[in-house]
């Protein structure tokens, strides 16, 4: 494949060659400065908490200063230190606003240390770090992340807990000036009162109570101010597909959609998109916890992929996001690693069934054949139709049933879920339903017992998006509907069907074979253990029933140390980890205008539940 065609090469070849030859440029300065901010922040906190260790000539000058100057300086030093600790992570991520705040806080902390502790070393360290920040200010140009209101609650909890701990240290840092012998309960009560600006039960001699009171009040004020700021600052939501973006993506899929079975999932409306300069390729993504996650291969002409990938990397660099790709094909992984210098790791395998080769005959299909026959004898029937051939009432009923039958409290899916059923724009989708009439007809879903939804894969394929069934229905509904869909596929012009994605499928398959080594058996045992929560083994065995061919899928990442963070972000995106606000505190998101009149609730993805 050529990497320089169709207008996507202009002015960008040297950068790509440099990334391929040398890999991503190590960002040592922001990491060093961020670590230094943490160190200086701890020094400022210590300077504000602990009394002076020795008498110095500066005490003579301090004696002529106003009486509140010392306690105020201690509170200022403590506040500056706490804020520097909060800013250290943003500094490491090149954030411009974190840099600006640190440039303001470092001189304030230096002044506070000089006035209260008369520490020349502390002042010099703060000024040295300030000089380093100013010297490398060009390294800190990253734009803000998308924001959400739940960070205000997280800040209140973390800052509140930190303020209690630091407050206890402040209260206990003057043992020689305490009147009486207060216990831990008295100290904790004094801290809580002090955080709210009131006098506590502990008394000090020699004016120490002023210093302790100022420090506790500063901690409480800092917690309140940062929480209020996060709660009321203008919200910057994550990127969403606009109507024009969706139209352009559909045009690309109409021509190139048959290349990747995950292509249609790029039309999820909670994803952002970047296009190549020529507009002939695109990469869709979502930002989660500072990780810019793309899914599947780029959309469009393979020859234009490098231009879209470069735009993706530029966007990640502009915001200091960690770039990553989940579930790309082998070809996609080769292009990503070649163009960016990133690394790739096999994540699992996608099960693809060739319709022409599928048959229920033979010993290998005996279990599936017997299950299907048993269910059919139980009075179940199936229907497999294009979404555009269903009536509005049927679509509403299916949508309601799919939402009610969801097996989790939170919606799941990102890389292999579309997030809607029966949208008029997805008329080529295929919906398979299972039916059985019940005596009395009391079910709110009529005779509907299970539903499977497929999205288009080019003009001659379809890709499984979700499987839902009534919990009261007989086991085997998913097998019944997949077999029905495969048997009806020729009449729909479908030649290939993509089923579930099986994570670590090769490790599970090799680990259960005779002669597998101890390391492989141990790895398989760990995967089987994790399957209690993530259905790793069950999805592999479910897919294997249909005798598919296995297509490997990969995760692309910058460095090995980024893998835990990327994995956690991917689990958040897929819905396995939920860090959103509790429902009483959740803020209703504004509705985004769509070209379609109605949008269904997001369904559970195809990899979430197989049986």
């Amino acid at each position: 494949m050529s990497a320089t065609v169709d207008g996507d090469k202009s002015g960008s070849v040297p950068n790509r060659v440099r990334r391929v030859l040398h890999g991503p440029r190590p960002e040592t300065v922001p990491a060093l400065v961020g670590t230094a901010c943490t160190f200086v922040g701890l020094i400022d906190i210590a300077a504000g908490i602990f009394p002076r260790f020795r008498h110095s000539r500066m005490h003579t000058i301090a004696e002529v200063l106003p009486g509140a100057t010392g306690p105020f300086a201690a509170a200022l030093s403590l506040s500056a230190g706490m804020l520097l600790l909060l800013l250290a992570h943003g500094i490491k991520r090149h954030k411009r606003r974190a840099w600006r705040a640190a440039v303001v806080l470092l001189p304030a902390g230096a002044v506070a240390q000089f006035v209260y502790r008369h520490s020349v070393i502390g002042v010099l360290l703060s000024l040295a770090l300030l000089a380093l920040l100013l010297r490398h200010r060009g390294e800190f140009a990253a734009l803000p992340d998308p924001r959400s209101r739940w960070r205000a609650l997280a800040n209140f909890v973390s800052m509140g807990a930190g303020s209690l701990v630091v407050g206890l240290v402040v209260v206990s840092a003057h043992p020689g000036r305490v009147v009486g012998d207060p216990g831990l309960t008295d100290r904790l009560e004094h801290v809580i009162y002090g955080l709210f600006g009131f006098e506590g039960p502990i008394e000090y001699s020699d004016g120490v109570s002023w210093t302790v009171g100022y420090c506790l009040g500063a901690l409480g004020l800092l917690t309140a101010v940062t929480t209020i700021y996060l709660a009321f600052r203008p919200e910057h939501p994550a990127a969403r597909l606009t109507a024009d973006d969706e139209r352009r993506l559909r045009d690309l899929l109409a021509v190139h959609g048959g290349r990747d079975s995950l292509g249609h999932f790029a039309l999820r409306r909670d994803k952002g998109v970047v296009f190549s300069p020529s507009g002939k390729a695109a990469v869709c993504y979502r930002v989660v916890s500072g990780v810019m996650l793309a899914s599947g291969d780029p959309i469009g002409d393979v020859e234009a992929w490098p231009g879209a990938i470069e735009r993706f990397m530029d966007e990640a660099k502009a915001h200091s996001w960690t770039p990553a790709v989940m579930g790309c094909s082998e070809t996609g992984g080769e292009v990503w690693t070649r163009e960016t210098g990133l690394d790739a790791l096999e994540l699992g395998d996608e099960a693809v069934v060739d319709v022409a080769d599928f048959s229920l005959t033979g010993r290998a299909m005996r279990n599936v054949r017997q299950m299907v026959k048993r269910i059919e004898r139980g009075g179940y029937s199936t229907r497999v139709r294009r979404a555009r051939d269903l009536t509005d009432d049927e679509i509403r009923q299916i949508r309601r049933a799919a939402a009610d039958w969801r097996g989790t409290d939170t919606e799941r899916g990102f890389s292999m879920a579309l997030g809607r059923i029966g949208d008029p724009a997805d008329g080529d989708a295929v919906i398979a339903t299972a039916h059985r009439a019940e005596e009395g007809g009391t079910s709110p879903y009529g005779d509907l017992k299970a539903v499977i939804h497929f999205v288009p894969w080019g003009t001659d394929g379809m890709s499984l998006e979700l499987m839902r069934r009534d919990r009261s229905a007989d086991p085997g509904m998913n097998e019944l509907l997949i077999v029905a869909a495969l048997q009806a596929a020729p009449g729909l012009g479908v030649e290939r069907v993509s089923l579930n994605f099986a994570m670590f499928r090769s490790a599970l398959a090799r680990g259960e074979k005779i002669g597998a080594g101890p390391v492989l058996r141990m790895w398989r045992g760990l995967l089987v253990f994790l399957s209690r929560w993530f259905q790793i083994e069950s999805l592999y065995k479910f897919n294997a029933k249909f005798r598919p061919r296995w297509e490997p899928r990969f995760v692309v990442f910058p460095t090995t140390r980024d893998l835990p963070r990327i994995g956690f972000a991917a689990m958040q995106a897929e819905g396995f980890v939920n860090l959103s606000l509790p429902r009483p505190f959740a803020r209703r998101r504004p509705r985004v205008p769509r070209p379609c009149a109605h949008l269904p609730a997001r369904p559970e993805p195809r990899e979430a539940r197989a049986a």
Side-chain angles (χ1 to χ4, degrees):
M1 286 176 292
S2 171
T4 57
V5 296
D6 205 16
D8 291 325
K9 63 180 179 180
S10 56
S12 59
V13 174
N15 291 333
R16 288 205 290 269
V17 171
R18 184 180 69 250
R19 285 196 295 266
V20 172
L21 294 179
H22 304 291
R25 184 170 62 89
E27 305 292 352
T28 57
V29 173
L32 174 64
V33 174
T35 303
C37 274
T38 303
F39 180 68
V40 172
L42 292 174
I43 292 178
D44 285 346
I45 292 174
I49 292 176
F50 298 104
R52 292 171 285 236
F53 295 133
R54 63 183 179 85
H55 187 82
S56 68
R57 293 181 180 179
M58 293 304 301
H59 286 84
T60 305
I61 300 176
E63 289 176 356
V64 303
L65 296 175
T69 302
F72 177 77
L76 178 60
S77 179
L78 185 61
S79 300
M82 293 286 287
L83 289 174
L84 283 174
L85 290 182
L86 293 176
L87 293 171
H89 180 65
I91 290 291
K92 290 181 179 180
R93 294 185 58 208
H94 310 250
K95 294 301 182 180
R96 188 68 176 178
R97 292 185 178 180
W99 177 87
R100 291 172 179 169
V103 167
V104 174
L105 287 171
L106 285 170
V111 170
Q113 288 212 40
F114 184 76
V115 172
Y116 182 58
R117 285 288 300 275
H118 318 309
S119 172
V120 177
I121 295 179
V123 172
L124 291 178
L125 286 175
S126 296
L127 295 180
L129 180 56
L130 176 63
L132 191 61
L133 280 171
L134 295 175
R135 170 66 178 82
H136 296 282
R137 59 184 177 274
E139 297 284 344
F140 304 95
L143 302 175
D145 290 342
R147 300 167 182 165
S148 58
R149 303 294 181 184
W150 71 268
R151 294 185 182 179
L153 180 62
N155 177 83
F156 177 76
V157 173
S158 60
M159 283 291 294
S163 296
L164 283 175
V165 174
V166 175
L168 284 173
V169 177
V170 169
V171 170
S172 306
H174 307 271
R177 309 291 178 87
V178 178
V179 178
D181 186 22
L184 178 60
T185 303
D186 294 329
R187 296 173 189 270
L188 184 60
E189 183 181 352
H190 192 87
V191 171
I192 294 175
Y193 273 99
L195 292 177
F196 286 94
F198 299 104
E199 190 70 26
I202 300 178
E203 296 183 4
Y204 297 89
S205 60
D206 297 334
V208 174
S209 60
W210 284 95
T211 302
V212 174
Y214 269 66
C215 289
L216 294 178
L219 288 173
L221 182 62
L222 187 63
T223 301
V225 169
T226 54
T227 301
I228 292 172
Y229 167 72
L230 291 173
F232 292 100
R233 65 178 176 171
E235 188 172 11
H236 293 265
R240 296 289 188 270
L241 282 186
T242 65
D244 182 63
D245 291 336
E246 186 172 337
R247 178 190 58 77
R248 295 175 66 185
L249 285 173
R250 289 186 183 276
D251 290 342
L252 293 177
L253 288 171
V255 180
H256 305 284
R259 210 210 60 79
D260 184 16
S261 65
L262 306 188
H264 199 85
F265 298 120
L267 298 176
R268 281 185 66 104
R269 288 166 181 153
D270 57 359
K271 289 183 178 181
V273 61
V274 289
F275 290 90
S276 65
S278 66
K280 294 185 177 181
V283 175
C284 294
Y285 67 91
R286 185 195 296 174
V287 179
V288 182
S289 296
V291 177
M292 191 176 183
L293 281 173
S295 59
D297 292 344
I299 306 300
D301 188 353
V302 177
E303 300 293 336
W305 282 6
I309 290 174
E310 185 175 7
R311 287 281 179 88
F312 175 87
M313 296 299 291
D314 289 343
E315 187 77 6
K317 183 177 180 180
H319 293 269
S320 192
W321 293 328
T322 301
V325 186
M326 300 296 297
C328 64
S329 68
E330 187 170 2
T331 300
E334 290 176 352
V335 177
W336 273 102
T337 55
R338 187 187 70 214
E339 296 298 321
T340 63
L342 301 179
D343 204 352
L345 180 68
E346 185 172 339
L347 187 61
D349 295 89
E350 178 187 14
V352 178
V353 178
D354 293 314
V355 174
D357 299 332
F358 177 76
S359 173
L360 285 177
T361 60
R363 183 178 181 84
M365 297 298 294
R366 182 179 60 181
N367 291 337
V368 176
R369 182 173 64 251
Q370 291 176 347
M371 178 175 289
V372 170
K373 294 297 183 183
R374 176 180 58 80
I375 295 174
E376 289 177 342
R377 287 194 300 269
Y380 288 91
S381 61
T382 60
R383 301 174 190 171
V384 182
R385 293 165 289 175
R386 296 283 185 186
R388 60 173 171 265
D389 297 328
L390 276 70
T391 65
D392 291 342
D393 289 340
E394 288 177 313
I395 289 293
R396 282 193 293 269
Q397 186 183 64
I398 290 172
R399 193 179 297 155
R400 179 184 176 189
D404 291 346
W405 294 341
R406 187 176 66 234
T408 57
D409 292 333
T410 57
E411 298 287 357
R412 291 183 176 176
F414 165 66
S415 57
M416 299 178 184
L418 184 61
R420 58 184 183 267
I421 302 177
D423 193 295
D426 302 317
D428 288 336
V430 175
I431 298 178
T433 53
H435 304 264
R436 187 177 71 172
E438 298 284 353
E439 294 183 3
T442 58
S443 173
Y445 319 113
D447 62 351
L448 183 64
K449 295 300 178 182
V451 59
I452 289 185
H453 185 228
F454 297 87
V455 299
W457 175 10
T459 57
D460 61 350
M462 59 186 186
S463 187
L464 180 60
E465 197 259 339
L466 69 80
M467 300 182 291
R468 299 277 172 83
R469 66 179 179 88
D470 189 339
R471 302 302 174 188
S472 64
D474 293 340
M477 290 291 104
N478 293 327
E479 289 88 341
L480 172 69
L481 287 181
I482 287 180
V483 169
L486 290 171
Q487 291 175 338
L492 299 172
V494 174
E495 299 177 1
R496 50 188 180 161
V497 178
S498 170
L499 300 179
N500 293 295
F501 171 75
M503 291 185 62
F504 309 114
R505 195 270 323 171
S506 58
L508 289 170
R510 294 197 303 266
E512 64 184 358
K513 291 182 178 179
I514 187 173
V519 176
L520 189 56
R521 288 182 180 273
M522 185 181 301
W523 175 228
R524 181 183 180 278
L526 177 61
L527 293 176
V528 172
F529 175 75
L530 294 176
S531 295
R532 299 179 181 180
W533 297 277
F534 301 108
Q535 298 183 326
I536 299 173
E537 184 184 32
S538 59
L539 279 175
Y540 158 59
K541 290 185 175 181
F542 178 83
N543 293 333
K545 294 179 181 180
F546 304 97
R547 316 298 294 176
R549 56 182 170 90
W550 299 100
E551 297 289 343
R553 291 280 175 173
F554 299 83
V555 55
V556 178
F557 56 95
T559 61
T560 303
R561 67 175 179 270
D562 292 316
L563 278 176
R565 184 182 178 194
I566 293 171
F568 184 73
M571 292 177 68
Q572 286 181 259
E574 296 290 352
F576 291 104
V577 176
N578 184 21
L579 298 181
S580 60
L581 278 173
R583 287 188 178 182
F585 303 98
R587 180 176 181 268
R588 190 182 299 274
R589 291 183 176 273
R591 296 184 63 121
V592 180
R594 291 292 171 209
C596 303
H598 50 269
L599 293 177
R602 288 188 297 170
E604 186 177 348
R606 61 181 184 173
E607 71 270 29
R609 187 169 296 275

